[in-house]
Amino acid sequence: MTVDLTVDLGGLKLRNPVMPASGCFGFGREYSEYYSLDTLGAVVVKATTLKPRLGNPTPRVTEVTGGMLNAIGLANPGLSKVLTEELPWLERQNVPIFVNVAGDTVEDYCSVVDEVCRSGLAQAIELNVSCPNVELGGLAFGVNSSVLRGLVEEVRKVCTLPLYVKLSPNVTRIQDLAVAAASGGADGLSLINTLVGMQIDLATRKPALANKTGGLSGPAIKPVAVRMVYEVAREVNLPIIGMGGICSGRDAAEFIMAGAWAVEVGTANFTDPYACPRIVAELKSFMEAEGIKNLEEIRGCAL
């Protein structure tokens, strides 16, 4: 039986629904030494900010049961280098590019999105709204509905590419934030970002991370992520990219059944550099075994 893995994300055609999550794949160079990036549905690059960022002090990554904690702090080379060095190289790999954008102010977001769109080097924007808004005393853009809607509305004015908003799970009702992003003009949503967690180093009797807290990712968060994708899919009629602990093709299928159109793979890339193409193959095998001809047959079937 022929299985069709293609996805149409509101006009953006992907050869399959699997892409690496932002921050877990760099800009693709290292992983291209293991396999051809055109086997992926898309590549979501590392969060890009207006100016270069060194990120948080070390240690900023620690392994925990069922995953990892990270407090990288959006370390990246800055917009100028991303546009002149990273994206031109990635464009030659024949794979759609999502640029994850972060910022401290609304103006930062708009400036980066505007320049990325004008460059012609990307096919979509993913807005990282877990960043602290310095104008509001450090409150993350993604935890307040009115703040989030205002950000998306301003970015929408300059964004000529499909605009996906990456939602934080560190809220009371993620559906409210999803509705706010949709109302602001988002073309789609990606969820979930990491959960806030902490680990204590028993030898030093201090937090294991210099930042004290970090983002929990990996298999431990998958049930939370599936639940949130399910809840958002029931309230918002937009394409959803699901993520959170995906390690296998069966995991990817579960997210699609919960309402996701595509998936991002994060922590699994650190333990298995072939994780993304393996998950593509496993998803195809699962569909063949179950007699599923295309993703439309199972998308949202659990709703």
Side-chain angles (χ1 to χ4, degrees), residues 1 20 38 40 80 105 107 144 157 160 169 176 187-188 190 225 230 250 252 276 287 290 302:
M1 185 185 70
D38 63 8
L40 304 175
S80 178
T105 66
E107 291 72 22
N144 180 286
K157 294 175 183 178
T160 56
D176 296 339
D187 295 303
S190 57
Y230 177 86
R250 294 180 70 88
C276 284
M287 292 171 65
E290 295 292 322

PDB file of all heavy atoms in Angstrom, residues 1 20 38 40 80 105 107 144 157 160 169 176 187-188 190 225 230 250 252 276 287 290 302:
ATOM      1  N   MET A   1       0.832  -1.192   0.000  1.00  0.00           N
ATOM      2  CA  MET A   1       0.000   0.000   0.000  1.00  0.00           C
ATOM      3  C   MET A   1       0.873   1.251   0.000  1.00  0.00           C
ATOM      4  O   MET A   1       1.870   1.332   0.697  1.00  0.00           O
ATOM      5  CB  MET A   1      -0.897   0.031   1.256  1.00  0.00           C
ATOM      6  CG  MET A   1      -1.883   1.173   1.267  1.00  0.00           C
ATOM      7  SD  MET A   1      -2.810   1.243   2.808  1.00  0.00           S
ATOM      8  CE  MET A   1      -1.538   1.753   3.951  1.00  0.00           C
ATOM      9  N   PRO A  20      12.676  19.094  13.053  1.00  0.00           N
ATOM     10  CA  PRO A  20      13.329  19.261  14.355  1.00  0.00           C
ATOM     11  C   PRO A  20      12.814  20.503  15.058  1.00  0.00           C
ATOM     12  O   PRO A  20      12.470  21.500  14.415  1.00  0.00           O
ATOM     13  CB  PRO A  20      14.816  19.415  13.986  1.00  0.00           C
ATOM     14  CG  PRO A  20      14.779  19.993  12.607  1.00  0.00           C
ATOM     15  CD  PRO A  20      13.583  19.394  11.935  1.00  0.00           C
ATOM     16  N   ASP A  38      16.937  17.079   3.246  1.00  0.00           N
ATOM     17  CA  ASP A  38      15.721  17.096   2.442  1.00  0.00           C
ATOM     18  C   ASP A  38      14.838  15.870   2.696  1.00  0.00           C
ATOM     19  O   ASP A  38      13.776  15.724   2.076  1.00  0.00           O
ATOM     20  CB  ASP A  38      16.030  17.252   0.954  1.00  0.00           C
ATOM     21  CG  ASP A  38      16.825  16.088   0.377  1.00  0.00           C
ATOM     22  OD1 ASP A  38      17.027  15.066   1.079  1.00  0.00           O
ATOM     23  OD2 ASP A  38      17.263  16.198  -0.793  1.00  0.00           O
ATOM     24  N   LEU A  40      13.543  15.613   5.596  1.00  0.00           N
ATOM     25  CA  LEU A  40      12.662  16.162   6.620  1.00  0.00           C
ATOM     26  C   LEU A  40      11.525  16.963   5.996  1.00  0.00           C
ATOM     27  O   LEU A  40      11.624  17.438   4.862  1.00  0.00           O
ATOM     28  CB  LEU A  40      13.462  17.076   7.555  1.00  0.00           C
ATOM     29  CG  LEU A  40      14.684  16.449   8.237  1.00  0.00           C
ATOM     30  CD1 LEU A  40      15.438  17.503   9.040  1.00  0.00           C
ATOM     31  CD2 LEU A  40      14.260  15.286   9.121  1.00  0.00           C
ATOM     32  N   SER A  80      21.919  39.351  11.877  1.00  0.00           N
ATOM     33  CA  SER A  80      22.781  39.628  10.731  1.00  0.00           C
ATOM     34  C   SER A  80      23.529  38.383  10.263  1.00  0.00           C
ATOM     35  O   SER A  80      23.537  38.052   9.065  1.00  0.00           O
ATOM     36  CB  SER A  80      23.785  40.730  11.089  1.00  0.00           C
ATOM     37  OG  SER A  80      24.657  40.980   9.993  1.00  0.00           O
ATOM     38  N   THR A 105      11.347  42.897  23.349  1.00  0.00           N
ATOM     39  CA  THR A 105      10.313  43.914  23.164  1.00  0.00           C
ATOM     40  C   THR A 105       9.536  43.610  21.888  1.00  0.00           C
ATOM     41  O   THR A 105       9.999  42.852  21.021  1.00  0.00           O
ATOM     42  CB  THR A 105      10.917  45.332  23.030  1.00  0.00           C
ATOM     43  OG1 THR A 105      11.677  45.397  21.810  1.00  0.00           O
ATOM     44  CG2 THR A 105      11.827  45.665  24.213  1.00  0.00           C
ATOM     45  N   GLU A 107       9.103  45.630  19.512  1.00  0.00           N
ATOM     46  CA  GLU A 107       9.898  46.185  18.419  1.00  0.00           C
ATOM     47  C   GLU A 107      10.968  45.210  17.961  1.00  0.00           C
ATOM     48  O   GLU A 107      11.252  45.089  16.757  1.00  0.00           O
ATOM     49  CB  GLU A 107      10.546  47.508  18.843  1.00  0.00           C
ATOM     50  CG  GLU A 107       9.577  48.655  19.044  1.00  0.00           C
ATOM     51  CD  GLU A 107       8.726  48.518  20.306  1.00  0.00           C
ATOM     52  OE1 GLU A 107       9.141  47.779  21.234  1.00  0.00           O
ATOM     53  OE2 GLU A 107       7.646  49.127  20.357  1.00  0.00           O
ATOM     54  N   ASN A 144       0.066  35.885  29.097  1.00  0.00           N
ATOM     55  CA  ASN A 144      -1.034  36.832  29.264  1.00  0.00           C
ATOM     56  C   ASN A 144      -1.739  36.997  27.920  1.00  0.00           C
ATOM     57  O   ASN A 144      -1.114  37.379  26.929  1.00  0.00           O
ATOM     58  CB  ASN A 144      -0.497  38.182  29.763  1.00  0.00           C
ATOM     59  CG  ASN A 144      -1.591  39.203  29.966  1.00  0.00           C
ATOM     60  OD1 ASN A 144      -2.137  39.737  29.007  1.00  0.00           O
ATOM     61  ND2 ASN A 144      -1.903  39.497  31.226  1.00  0.00           N
ATOM     62  N   LYS A 157       1.542  42.731  11.118  1.00  0.00           N
ATOM     63  CA  LYS A 157       1.613  43.876  10.215  1.00  0.00           C
ATOM     64  C   LYS A 157       2.832  43.821   9.303  1.00  0.00           C
ATOM     65  O   LYS A 157       2.804  44.364   8.195  1.00  0.00           O
ATOM     66  CB  LYS A 157       1.635  45.181  11.024  1.00  0.00           C
ATOM     67  CG  LYS A 157       0.349  45.465  11.789  1.00  0.00           C
ATOM     68  CD  LYS A 157       0.505  46.712  12.659  1.00  0.00           C
ATOM     69  CE  LYS A 157      -0.742  46.977  13.483  1.00  0.00           C
ATOM     70  NZ  LYS A 157      -0.582  48.159  14.375  1.00  0.00           N
ATOM     71  N   THR A 160       4.997  38.668   6.179  1.00  0.00           N
ATOM     72  CA  THR A 160       4.415  38.266   4.906  1.00  0.00           C
ATOM     73  C   THR A 160       4.475  36.752   4.710  1.00  0.00           C
ATOM     74  O   THR A 160       4.055  36.238   3.668  1.00  0.00           O
ATOM     75  CB  THR A 160       5.148  38.958   3.746  1.00  0.00           C
ATOM     76  OG1 THR A 160       6.555  38.645   3.827  1.00  0.00           O
ATOM     77  CG2 THR A 160       4.973  40.472   3.818  1.00  0.00           C
ATOM     78  N   PRO A 169       3.470  26.102  27.857  1.00  0.00           N
ATOM     79  CA  PRO A 169       2.548  25.308  28.665  1.00  0.00           C
ATOM     80  C   PRO A 169       2.438  25.816  30.100  1.00  0.00           C
ATOM     81  O   PRO A 169       1.637  25.302  30.881  1.00  0.00           O
ATOM     82  CB  PRO A 169       3.191  23.921  28.642  1.00  0.00           C
ATOM     83  CG  PRO A 169       4.659  24.224  28.616  1.00  0.00           C
ATOM     84  CD  PRO A 169       4.787  25.456  27.741  1.00  0.00           C
ATOM     85  N   ASP A 176      -6.788  29.497  26.151  1.00  0.00           N
ATOM     86  CA  ASP A 176      -7.005  30.941  26.144  1.00  0.00           C
ATOM     87  C   ASP A 176      -5.903  31.655  25.365  1.00  0.00           C
ATOM     88  O   ASP A 176      -6.166  32.623  24.640  1.00  0.00           O
ATOM     89  CB  ASP A 176      -7.055  31.484  27.583  1.00  0.00           C
ATOM     90  CG  ASP A 176      -8.239  30.939  28.369  1.00  0.00           C
ATOM     91  OD1 ASP A 176      -9.212  30.477  27.732  1.00  0.00           O
ATOM     92  OD2 ASP A 176      -8.185  30.970  29.611  1.00  0.00           O
ATOM     93  N   ASP A 187      -1.361  32.310  11.746  1.00  0.00           N
ATOM     94  CA  ASP A 187      -1.783  31.351  10.724  1.00  0.00           C
ATOM     95  C   ASP A 187      -1.797  29.928  11.272  1.00  0.00           C
ATOM     96  O   ASP A 187      -2.410  29.037  10.687  1.00  0.00           O
ATOM     97  CB  ASP A 187      -0.846  31.397   9.524  1.00  0.00           C
ATOM     98  CG  ASP A 187      -0.902  32.737   8.812  1.00  0.00           C
ATOM     99  OD1 ASP A 187      -2.009  33.130   8.395  1.00  0.00           O
ATOM    100  OD2 ASP A 187       0.151  33.383   8.681  1.00  0.00           O
ATOM    101  N   GLY A 188      -1.074  29.714  12.372  1.00  0.00           N
ATOM    102  CA  GLY A 188      -1.001  28.398  12.968  1.00  0.00           C
ATOM    103  C   GLY A 188      -0.369  28.483  14.337  1.00  0.00           C
ATOM    104  O   GLY A 188       0.092  29.549  14.766  1.00  0.00           O
ATOM    105  N   SER A 190       2.190  26.285  17.339  1.00  0.00           N
ATOM    106  CA  SER A 190       3.049  25.148  17.669  1.00  0.00           C
ATOM    107  C   SER A 190       3.099  25.046  19.184  1.00  0.00           C
ATOM    108  O   SER A 190       3.161  26.053  19.882  1.00  0.00           O
ATOM    109  CB  SER A 190       4.449  25.305  17.057  1.00  0.00           C
ATOM    110  OG  SER A 190       5.091  26.486  17.458  1.00  0.00           O
ATOM    111  N   ALA A 225       1.844  17.291  26.783  1.00  0.00           N
ATOM    112  CA  ALA A 225       1.810  17.901  25.458  1.00  0.00           C
ATOM    113  C   ALA A 225       0.639  17.388  24.623  1.00  0.00           C
ATOM    114  O   ALA A 225      -0.055  18.162  23.960  1.00  0.00           O
ATOM    115  CB  ALA A 225       3.128  17.637  24.740  1.00  0.00           C
ATOM    116  N   TYR A 230      -4.593  18.431  22.150  1.00  0.00           N
ATOM    117  CA  TYR A 230      -5.991  18.000  22.070  1.00  0.00           C
ATOM    118  C   TYR A 230      -6.933  19.135  22.469  1.00  0.00           C
ATOM    119  O   TYR A 230      -7.916  19.424  21.780  1.00  0.00           O
ATOM    120  CB  TYR A 230      -6.170  16.794  22.989  1.00  0.00           C
ATOM    121  CG  TYR A 230      -7.578  16.256  23.094  1.00  0.00           C
ATOM    122  CD1 TYR A 230      -8.054  15.317  22.172  1.00  0.00           C
ATOM    123  CD2 TYR A 230      -8.430  16.644  24.122  1.00  0.00           C
ATOM    124  CE1 TYR A 230      -9.340  14.801  22.265  1.00  0.00           C
ATOM    125  CE2 TYR A 230      -9.716  16.134  24.231  1.00  0.00           C
ATOM    126  CZ  TYR A 230     -10.169  15.218  23.303  1.00  0.00           C
ATOM    127  OH  TYR A 230     -11.432  14.705  23.409  1.00  0.00           O
ATOM    128  N   ARG A 250       5.233   6.188  16.433  1.00  0.00           N
ATOM    129  CA  ARG A 250       3.964   6.024  17.139  1.00  0.00           C
ATOM    130  C   ARG A 250       3.643   7.269  17.963  1.00  0.00           C
ATOM    131  O   ARG A 250       2.486   7.671  18.072  1.00  0.00           O
ATOM    132  CB  ARG A 250       4.024   4.778  18.026  1.00  0.00           C
ATOM    133  CG  ARG A 250       4.140   3.485  17.235  1.00  0.00           C
ATOM    134  CD  ARG A 250       4.208   2.275  18.163  1.00  0.00           C
ATOM    135  NE  ARG A 250       2.938   2.050  18.822  1.00  0.00           N
ATOM    136  CZ  ARG A 250       1.954   1.317  18.334  1.00  0.00           C
ATOM    137  NH1 ARG A 250       2.107   0.721  17.158  1.00  0.00           N
ATOM    138  NH2 ARG A 250       0.828   1.146  18.994  1.00  0.00           N
ATOM    139  N   ALA A 252       4.523  10.294  17.132  1.00  0.00           N
ATOM    140  CA  ALA A 252       4.074  11.283  16.149  1.00  0.00           C
ATOM    141  C   ALA A 252       2.619  11.032  15.764  1.00  0.00           C
ATOM    142  O   ALA A 252       1.817  11.973  15.667  1.00  0.00           O
ATOM    143  CB  ALA A 252       4.971  11.224  14.914  1.00  0.00           C
ATOM    144  N   CYS A 276      15.064  12.151  13.626  1.00  0.00           N
ATOM    145  CA  CYS A 276      14.019  12.671  12.729  1.00  0.00           C
ATOM    146  C   CYS A 276      13.754  11.756  11.537  1.00  0.00           C
ATOM    147  O   CYS A 276      12.594  11.382  11.295  1.00  0.00           O
ATOM    148  CB  CYS A 276      14.373  14.084  12.281  1.00  0.00           C
ATOM    149  SG  CYS A 276      14.101  15.342  13.556  1.00  0.00           S
ATOM    150  N   MET A 287       1.632   3.466   9.594  1.00  0.00           N
ATOM    151  CA  MET A 287       0.475   3.703   8.728  1.00  0.00           C
ATOM    152  C   MET A 287       0.241   2.532   7.781  1.00  0.00           C
ATOM    153  O   MET A 287      -0.899   2.115   7.544  1.00  0.00           O
ATOM    154  CB  MET A 287       0.662   5.014   7.955  1.00  0.00           C
ATOM    155  CG  MET A 287       0.620   6.245   8.849  1.00  0.00           C
ATOM    156  SD  MET A 287       1.102   7.786   8.009  1.00  0.00           S
ATOM    157  CE  MET A 287      -0.216   7.961   6.800  1.00  0.00           C
ATOM    158  N   GLU A 290      -1.350  -0.292   9.685  1.00  0.00           N
ATOM    159  CA  GLU A 290      -2.723  -0.006  10.097  1.00  0.00           C
ATOM    160  C   GLU A 290      -3.658   0.267   8.921  1.00  0.00           C
ATOM    161  O   GLU A 290      -4.845   0.534   9.110  1.00  0.00           O
ATOM    162  CB  GLU A 290      -2.735   1.202  11.041  1.00  0.00           C
ATOM    163  CG  GLU A 290      -2.024   0.970  12.366  1.00  0.00           C
ATOM    164  CD  GLU A 290      -2.740  -0.037  13.247  1.00  0.00           C
ATOM    165  OE1 GLU A 290      -3.990  -0.023  13.249  1.00  0.00           O
ATOM    166  OE2 GLU A 290      -2.061  -0.842  13.915  1.00  0.00           O
ATOM    167  N   ALA A 302      -9.177  11.575  17.427  1.00  0.00           N
ATOM    168  CA  ALA A 302      -9.477  11.379  18.853  1.00  0.00           C
ATOM    169  C   ALA A 302     -10.361  12.477  19.416  1.00  0.00           C
ATOM    170  O   ALA A 302     -10.830  12.372  20.558  1.00  0.00           O
ATOM    171  CB  ALA A 302      -8.169  11.315  19.643  1.00  0.00           C
TER     172      ALA A 302
END
